[in-house]
Amino acid sequence: MASTASEIIAFMVSISGWVLVSSTLPTDYWKVSSIDGTVITTATFWANLWKTCVTDSTGVSNCKDFPSMLALDGYIQACRGLMIAAVSLGFFGSIFALFGMKCTKVGGSDKAKAKIACLAGIVFILSGLCSMTGCSLYANKITKEFFDPFFVEQKYELGAALFIGWAGASLCIIGGVIFCFSISDNNKAPRMGYPYNGAASVMSSRTKYGGEGDFKTTNPSKQFDKNAYV
């Protein structure tokens, strides 16, 4: 029962993390910067993995998609690949988890389901690591430019998508670790013992045919008289 409960908790945590990681891809605010006027914010600059935009004080946004994938900076291409890999791994991890959980009727025997659940945990951990690496790489680029005194272009700060990605990656890793530990709980589960009834069956068969008293032993030597070999 404890192993089943831990698997359910791990599944819920991992799926929540995967949903958060998936939501970071279309999220706008990976990095954000604003130009403040005397009274109101005159313009807000923000960008994600696919476009860069500016929003004026009236709320009108003007966006520009990145023109070419090959002309992008290396860190953006790496972040795209890592985040897409994280989403894909999370999808396959959820499929493996459904087959490996004890509360489902598919996946084979308990031993096979335990191995599938452990595989799902490893896949979720890889998904979390990919998301964590992608968000950290993007954040590292922002912080380096922000604290560089010789960087004269527009400086950005960390956006909400990075924090969502870090939270989702942490949940995926935690859920994957719980899935991996669930296989040890299955190995520690006591096996069902069955009593040996062999002796009882023999005794019952003897009782059926009259018990031990009905078996008569005869001495072979008494069957022959003294002159049998003369």
Side-chain angles (χ1 to χ4, degrees):
M1 181 64 70
S3 177
T4 304
S6 64
E7 287 179 352
I8 294 175
I9 294 173
F11 182 76
M12 297 300 296
V13 172
S14 301
I15 290 297
S16 300
W18 176 60
V19 171
L20 289 177
V21 170
S22 302
S23 66
T24 59
L25 280 176
T27 302
D28 294 330
Y29 297 99
W30 278 67
K31 60 180 181 180
V32 61
S33 179
S34 61
I35 300 178
D36 297 329
T38 56
V39 178
I40 61 174
T41 300
T42 58
T44 301
F45 297 87
W46 50 273
N48 56 15
L49 297 178
W50 316 102
K51 59 186 177 181
T52 179
C53 301
V54 57
T55 304
D56 58 18
S57 58
T58 61
V60 178
S61 298
N62 294 317
C63 297
K64 178 183 179 182
D65 295 333
F66 294 130
S68 173
M69 183 182 70
L70 299 178
L72 288 176
D73 294 333
Y75 78 97
I76 296 181
Q77 296 183 14
C79 291
R80 281 184 178 182
L82 288 169
M83 296 305 296
I84 293 174
V87 174
S88 301
L89 288 172
F91 172 77
F92 288 110
S94 62
I95 298 297
F96 292 147
L98 289 175
F99 280 91
M101 295 175 64
K102 286 185 177 181
C103 58
T104 59
K105 300 298 183 181
V106 292
S109 62
D110 289 342
K111 186 176 181 180
K113 290 172 75 70
K115 293 181 179 180
I116 297 175
C118 183
L119 177 62
I122 294 174
V123 173
F124 274 122
I125 291 174
L126 292 176
S127 175
L129 290 177
C130 288
S131 177
M132 187 77 70
T133 304
C135 293
S136 299
L137 182 62
Y138 199 92
N140 179 62
K141 180 67 175 179
I142 295 173
T143 53
K144 284 179 63 177
E145 292 178 352
F146 187 85
F147 292 105
D148 187 4
F150 299 102
F151 187 77
V152 296
E153 297 181 8
Q154 182 71 33
K155 293 185 177 182
Y156 291 87
E157 297 183 3
L158 304 180
L162 296 176
F163 298 100
I164 297 174
W166 283 325
S170 301
L171 291 177
C172 286
I173 293 174
I174 293 172
V177 170
I178 298 175
F179 266 124
C180 290
F181 277 108
S182 66
I183 190 173
S184 61
D185 296 337
N186 292 326
N187 293 331
K188 292 179 182 179
R191 296 182 178 180
M192 296 296 294
Y194 299 94
Y196 177 69
N197 296 324
S201 62
V202 173
M203 294 301 295
S204 62
S205 63
R206 289 183 179 181
T207 305
K208 180 178 180 181
Y209 292 101
E212 295 181 354
D214 294 339
F215 292 95
K216 297 180 180 181
T217 57
T218 58
N219 192 353
S221 61
K222 292 182 180 180
Q223 296 178 2
F224 305 97
D225 54 5
K226 296 180 179 181
N227 298 325
Y229 298 99
V230 178

